[in-house]
């Protein structure tokens, strides 16, 4: 098996950035979901409420990010100067963050038609991964719950074989895509190696209607697909699952084409 694709999401809910290689840190891929958009009360904003966020492209540049979106001017946002943290909210839980320049919030506000601010997580912030599935000290950025999400290509092929209109891998926002033929082979993995890197396979990734948003158009499907089809054959006690969450157990670089080895399985 090989690692066929790598995706970075600099801003939570915004467009993926395909990579040929990535540095892996305790929080996941370096630079992944270190930025997030919040509303006027500091609550996180995602593509669930604003599907058009999936069309915002953020690229690391000059010590910050360059932002582009349909109908919007290009904007460069600098990493905010370290200062006293503010508290924002993800899934009703507090998280420390630093506000980016007001111009960035105004840019997102104009694009979304609502009050918005852009926030950044610096290296001093330690957001603990759910201890039910992780070790003490395991940390994550602004991702929903875990540092890395992996999906096998065979799983998507099985889903697409049951859909009238096939969907892209980026519907499911993986960081790592494994070129494995067997559908849901990743369900059995508990520890893997990618190149020289090792990862715990911590938990299934539960899915919501975010997967019904087409990242090519920024629009939600009118027929409830592909979640409707997934629900028919991938519903378990914890919910509808598709893909697996990983926790890095070493640091280093992963590259497209790296060998993927299963170190242990259920």
């Amino acid at each position: 098996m090989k690692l066929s694709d790598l995706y970075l999401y600099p801003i939570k809910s915004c467009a993926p950035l395909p990579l040929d290689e990535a540095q892996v840190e305790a929080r996941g891929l370096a630079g992944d979901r270190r930025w997030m958009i919040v509303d006027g009360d500091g609550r996180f904003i995602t593509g669930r409420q604003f599907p058009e966020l999936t069309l915002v492209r953020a690229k690391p540049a000059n010590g910050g990010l360059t932002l582009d979106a349909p109908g919007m001017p290009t904007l460069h946002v600098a990493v905010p100067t370290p200062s006293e943290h503010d508290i924002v909210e993800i899934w009703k839980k507090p998280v420390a963050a630093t506000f980016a320049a007001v111009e960035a919030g105004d840019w997102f506000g104009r694009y979304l038609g609502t009050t918005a601010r852009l926030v950044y997580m610096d290296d001093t912030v330690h957001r603990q991964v759910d201890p039910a599935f992780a070790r003490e000290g395991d940390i994550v950025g602004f991702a929903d719950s875990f540092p890395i999400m992996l999906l096998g290509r065979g799983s998507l092929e099985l889903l697409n074989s049951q859909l009238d209109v096939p969907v892209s891998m980026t519907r499911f926002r993986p960081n790592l895509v494994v070129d494995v033929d067997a559908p849901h082979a990743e369900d059995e993995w508990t520890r893997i190696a990618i190149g020289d890197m090792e990862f715990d396979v911590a938990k299934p990734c539960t899915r919501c209607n975010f997967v019904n948003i087409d990242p090519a158009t920024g629009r939600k499907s009118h027929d409830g697909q592909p979640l409707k089809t997934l629900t028919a054959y991938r519903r378990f006690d914890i919910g509808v699952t598709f893909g697996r969450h990983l926790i890095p157990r070493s640091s280093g670089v992963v590259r497209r084409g790296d060998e993927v080895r299963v170190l242990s399985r259920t």
Side-chain angles (χ1 to χ4, degrees):
M1 294 184 296
K2 301 292 183 182
L3 183 65
S4 62
D5 295 287
L6 272 167
Y7 295 103
L8 185 75
Y9 304 86
I11 304 178
K12 184 178 181 68
S13 275
C14 295
L17 181 63
L19 301 175
D20 290 324
E21 63 178 47
Q23 181 73 34
V24 179
E25 303 172 342
R27 296 175 208 270
L29 303 189
D32 190 70
R33 296 175 177 92
R34 297 292 290 272
W35 303 77
M36 181 174 71
I37 306 144
V38 299
D39 65 15
D41 295 318
R43 292 186 293 260
F44 76 135
I45 288 175
T46 76
R48 298 169 184 87
Q49 308 113 297
F50 295 95
E52 61 269 36
L53 274 179
T54 60
L55 300 179
V56 175
R57 301 198 173 277
K59 294 183 179 181
N62 302 320
L65 295 177
T66 297
L67 306 179
D68 287 286
M72 296 296 295
T74 298
L75 179 71
H76 180 263
V77 182
V79 170
T81 303
S83 63
E84 184 175 344
H85 293 131
D86 289 281
I87 299 299
V88 297
E89 185 180 290
I90 303 178
W91 298 117
K92 299 182 179 180
K93 293 184 178 180
V95 180
T98 305
F99 283 99
V102 171
E103 291 79 6
D106 290 344
W107 190 92
F108 276 104
R110 292 196 306 274
Y111 179 63
L112 298 175
T114 189
T115 301
R117 292 293 305 270
L118 183 65
V119 298
Y120 177 74
M121 181 184 288
D122 65 42
D123 290 340
T124 67
V125 176
H126 287 72
R127 182 182 171 218
Q128 172 69 40
V129 178
D130 185 345
F133 301 95
R135 302 175 187 172
E136 180 71 26
D138 287 339
I139 57 175
V140 61
F142 287 130
D144 278 351
S145 52
F146 286 84
I148 290 174
M149 206 287 281
L150 173 147
L151 190 56
R153 192 166 298 281
S155 304
L156 179 65
E157 291 175 355
L158 174 61
L159 171 62
N160 278 334
S161 73
Q162 302 184 46
L163 294 173
D164 292 334
V165 180
V167 296
S168 67
M169 182 66 75
T170 52
R171 285 272 183 141
F172 304 95
R173 305 181 67 79
N175 295 112
L176 308 177
V177 179
V178 178
D179 197 7
V180 55
D181 291 333
H184 305 292
E186 60 270 25
D187 286 1
E188 298 180 354
W189 304 343
T190 57
R191 192 174 179 93
I192 64 171
I194 302 176
D196 297 327
M197 297 287 302
E198 292 192 9
F199 303 84
D200 282 344
V201 184
K203 182 181 179 290
C205 181
T206 55
R207 297 298 180 165
C208 66
N209 61 9
F210 199 171
V211 303
N212 291 342
I213 298 169
D214 184 348
T217 64
R219 296 177 181 174
K220 187 177 293 186
S221 65
H222 297 296
D223 58 2
Q225 296 292 6
L227 186 61
K228 182 178 179 180
T229 294
L230 268 181
T231 301
Y233 73 98
R234 290 292 298 175
R235 179 179 286 281
F236 302 94
D237 290 344
I238 62 171
V240 178
T241 72
F242 198 67
R244 304 287 289 190
H245 291 299
L246 306 186
I247 299 175
R249 291 302 174 216
S250 54
S251 59
V253 176
V254 291
R255 299 175 176 84
R256 291 182 61 207
D258 276 351
E259 182 183 2
V260 179
R261 307 184 310 281
V262 179
L263 303 180
S264 63
R265 65 181 75 220
T266 55

